[in-house]
Amino acid sequence: VTMPKIIFLMGVAGSGKTTVLHESWLLKLPNFVYVPSYTTRPMREWEINGEKYHHIDPIEFQNKIINDDFLECAVVHQLAMYWTDYKSITEPLLVWKNSIKELEIFWLIAIEESEKIDGQYITIFLDIPLGLMAERIQQRQTISDDELHKRIASATFEKEQAQIRCHHVIDATQSIEKVCEEVRKICLALE
């Protein structure tokens, strides 16, 4: 029997992380737990607090910094703080469950440098071409050309780092069923 792991599901914007998370059925299995991120950004009207994000105010965030509650922490798009709570992601392991979390490659670098969870995680990166990423971002929201160029530059870096740092890189241009099947196979091999 292998030890439970933290599974980081990663990919550039528009690669289908959230869709794969829901369509792969992993979260319906009793030994897989989804770990939401914390953020200081305001809650959007369709969001439910604690489902994908725990929304907290900047003062509570400052207290978490003082208490060193983070696994990692980052400012995203120079707007809001996002982070992973250390206890939230490691406590499921203590009761023999795998934690699943969507993660940015920048945060993975911070996690590797912190050495707080060495050897306790696997990484899966969903890879799509930059052109497809740009297309999907523009379908989801209206953004300026400047913002799109920033996102493409960021995604270029993410894709390069994924080749070096990630355990598994999956071609996410395949059908959603095929991508989910590959993710499930990787995760169920942990059992």
Side-chain angles (χ1 to χ4, degrees):
V1 179
T2 58
M3 296 291 289
K5 295 277 189 196
I6 298 164
I7 301 155
F8 291 129
L9 185 61
M10 300 184 295
V12 297
S15 61
K17 298 179 293 288
T18 303
T19 303
V20 167
L21 206 52
H22 294 291
E23 299 286 325
S24 66
W25 308 306
L26 291 170
L27 299 179
K28 292 187 169 119
L29 300 175
N31 49 342
F32 288 88
V33 176
Y34 178 72
V35 179
S37 293
Y38 281 75
T39 184
T40 57
R41 81 157 165 73
M43 194 162 63
R44 295 175 180 136
E45 59 188 49
W46 64 85
E47 290 180 314
I48 298 168
N49 200 24
E51 193 171 86
K52 187 168 178 178
Y53 296 102
H54 293 287
H55 297 269
I56 68 169
D57 63 53
I59 293 165
E60 193 176 345
F61 169 74
Q62 291 300 325
N63 290 334
K64 288 190 167 288
I65 288 179
I66 292 164
N67 295 332
D68 191 30
D69 289 342
F70 304 133
L71 174 60
E72 44 65 24
C73 177
V75 177
V76 176
H77 305 305
Q78 300 158 350
L79 299 172
M81 298 300 299
Y82 288 81
W83 67 92
T84 302
D85 180 75
Y86 179 75
K87 282 185 187 168
S88 297
I89 203 152
T90 57
E91 282 179 347
L93 305 180
L94 302 175
V95 293
W96 222 252
K97 292 178 185 273
N98 299 293
S99 298
I100 299 180
K101 173 151 189 46
E102 292 174 71
L103 194 75
E104 301 291 329
I105 208 95
F106 306 100
W107 297 348
L108 176 64
I109 294 167
I111 288 167
E112 288 175 348
E113 289 170 0
S114 78
E115 300 179 355
K116 281 185 176 179
I117 57 168
D118 273 359
Q120 292 181 281
Y121 63 90
I122 66 158
T123 51
I124 302 170
F125 188 86
L126 304 180
D127 195 23
I128 59 172
L130 293 173
L132 180 57
M133 181 204 81
E135 207 177 285
R136 288 180 178 176
I137 287 173
Q138 290 170 314
Q139 285 171 356
R140 286 198 306 213
Q141 62 192 5
T142 305
I143 62 171
S144 68
D145 286 348
D146 186 45
E147 178 64 23
L148 184 61
H149 291 303
K150 283 181 191 168
R151 298 245 187 135
I152 289 171
S154 177
T156 301
F157 174 78
E158 290 176 63
K159 288 163 70 66
E160 289 166 359
Q161 291 300 306
Q163 296 301 323
I164 303 164
R165 298 176 186 274
C166 292
H167 298 102
H168 306 275
V169 177
I170 295 174
D171 174 5
T173 62
Q174 304 173 86
S175 70
I176 191 65
E177 294 79 16
K178 181 75 176 135
V179 174
C180 288
E181 183 186 320
E182 287 190 40
V183 170
R184 261 196 312 277
K185 197 167 139 187
I186 292 164
C187 294
L188 294 176
L190 299 173
E191 300 299 290

